Structures are given as C-alpha cells and as structure tokens.
Amino acid sequence: DGLPLYYHRGGCPELAGVFCRSGATAGDLSGKNPCRALILSVVDVIMAALRLFYFDFYSFANGREAEVRGGGMCMGRRARWIAETAAMTALLIAFQGLTKAAGQYVTGSFVNAVLGVAVLVAGLGSGVVVAALSPFFAFLLGIGPQLLPIVPAIAVGNLTFVVLLWLIAGKRSGNPWRQAAAWLMAAAGKFAALYLLVVKLLCSVLPLQQTQIDTFTLMFSSPQLVTALVGGALALLLAPVLRRA
C-alpha cells in the first residue's frame, strides 16, 4: 500500500496504480495454498516492474524523465533498473522451465547467459539480485533442485559468477584479454564454489541416500564448468549488442 501512496505524493499519479494489481495479497499467504499465492505475488511484481518500465520509457519520450515534483521524483534510472532486474529474473526462470527437459547442459548454459547479460548490461546490483533470488524462485516453482539446503549454495555459485565477471570485464568489456580472463575465471569460480559447497560440504553433512549423493555429485561437478563457460561466452557476445539496442 505504501508504494502507490509514495508515487502519488511524489507527483506521479500515473504510477499510483502500478503496484495495486496483484493477483495475490499478503492475506492469501495464510490460505489453503500459500506457495501458489507467493508465486503469483512474485509474478505480479515482475509484471508491475515491466509496466513501470513502459511508463518510464513513455516519460522519457515526452521529456519528463526524473522530474522532481514536491519532494518526490518520477522514477527514471531507478525504474529502469527495477524493470531490467525483474525482466532478467523472469527470463531466467522461464528458460529454466522451458529447457528443463533438454537437460542440464542446455538449461545451465541459458541460466549463466542470462546471469552474465544481467551483470554486464544492467550492472552489478542487478546481477547480484538476479543471481541471489532466482534459485529460490526456481525452488518454489519446482524447476530447481528440490532440496532446500542446496538452494543457498546455488545462489553463492551464481553470485561468484556475476561478481567475477563484473570485476574483471564489467567496466572494460571491450578489452578482449579482460573478456577472456573474465570468462575463464568466472566459470572456474562458480564451478569451485558449487563443488566445494554441495559435493564436499552438503553431501557430507546432510542425511542423504547414496543415490542422492551420486546425483548431486554428478550435477555439481564438471557440468557446472561447461555450462558456465558456454553461458559466459554467450553473455560476453550478447552484452555489447544489447547495450547499443
């Protein structure tokens, strides 16, 4: 309820209703299907962010970007950041669902490509948010590993990938040597983080059956390196094109 009021007081009545169209309210979370209500809320927030991006573009086209009115501000850069981050999160989750049947190598490559594009195009903050939140959304939607203790480990692996990619290539992405170094180090960093956290740590301390240990050992070993290399390469190729778009 605070967001519409904030935008209205800030002199942006066009935004006042953007966040008032959710299909699931906080009260729904205590109903018969709280997980479904939470997922609907997440989807609605993403759609609201996309509507906000549309308004931001409309305002920019009419010369109203970042106008300050009565102590408030019609969102310009911030709205764009929110919209890009939400769109990247939705795109990543959609790719996971659509490519799940194609296997880990295809799905993982798409996931890492979206993570790389998010951090290289939208910035470190966007990449960090997408990397940290997407594993939890995938878990709730049933398209990621259905073992909750592994989900934070996946988030750490994603964060390692985007942070290394941004630190090495984010500000000097035109340098081919930096791109190559970022590509290799980000992929190796994600592989090492996931292998150590899941295979070496969680598979040792969690009460898992041997079949589960074998599955997670295979899933979080060499395929992670391969998919991170493929996804990182795609991101580095796509990022300059998307920046100019």
Side-chain angles (χ1 to χ4, degrees):
D1 293 339
L3 282 170
L5 183 60
Y6 169 78
Y7 289 125
H8 185 75
R9 287 178 177 174
C12 295
E14 298 92 336
L15 295 182
V18 165
F19 290 94
C20 294
R21 303 188 180 103
S22 177
T25 64
D28 294 332
L29 298 179
S30 59
K32 295 181 179 179
N33 197 338
C35 184
R36 178 178 179 275
L38 179 60
I39 293 169
L40 286 175
S41 296
V42 170
V43 172
D44 284 334
V45 168
I46 292 173
M47 295 307 298
L50 292 175
R51 288 194 293 268
L52 185 59
F53 175 75
Y54 168 79
F55 171 79
D56 181 59
F57 177 80
Y58 176 81
S59 298
F60 175 79
N62 288 274
R64 297 176 54 208
E65 184 178 27
E67 290 183 8
V68 177
R69 302 179 180 180
M73 183 174 70
C74 285
M75 307 293 263
R77 293 181 180 177
R78 184 178 298 179
R80 190 177 301 276
W81 182 89
I82 292 172
E84 288 175 344
T85 304
M88 289 295 176
T89 304
L91 185 63
L92 190 150
I93 296 171
F95 274 137
Q96 283 183 280
L98 292 172
T99 63
K100 185 177 180 180
Q104 181 181 359
Y105 286 100
V106 175
T107 302
S109 298
F110 275 115
V111 166
N112 287 305
V114 175
L115 289 174
V117 168
V119 73
L120 293 174
V121 175
L124 179 61
S126 180
V128 165
V129 171
V130 176
L133 293 184
S134 56
F136 293 92
F137 291 157
F139 174 80
L140 291 174
L141 291 167
I143 56 178
Q146 294 302 293
L147 186 64
L148 185 57
I150 289 182
V151 178
I154 297 174
V156 171
N158 289 348
L159 288 169
T160 302
F161 181 77
V162 299
V163 169
L164 287 174
L165 202 58
W166 184 83
L167 285 175
I168 302 172
K171 295 182 178 180
R172 299 180 180 88
S173 57
N175 187 316
W177 295 107
R178 281 189 167 270
Q179 285 188 334
W183 174 55
L184 294 173
M185 292 186 68
K190 179 173 183 176
F191 161 71
L194 289 174
Y195 185 80
L196 292 174
L197 288 174
V198 178
V199 179
K200 292 299 184 181
L201 178 61
L202 293 179
C203 286
S204 300
V205 300
L206 293 177
L208 302 175
Q209 298 178 359
Q210 187 58 46
T211 54
Q212 291 177 299
I213 294 175
D214 294 340
T215 299
F216 289 133
T217 299
L218 178 61
M219 183 182 299
F220 292 98
S221 55
S222 57
Q224 295 296 330
L225 180 60
V226 174
T227 56
L229 287 170
V230 174
L234 289 173
L236 288 167
L237 289 172
L238 290 172
V241 178
L242 294 175
R243 286 197 197 99
R244 294 192 297 267

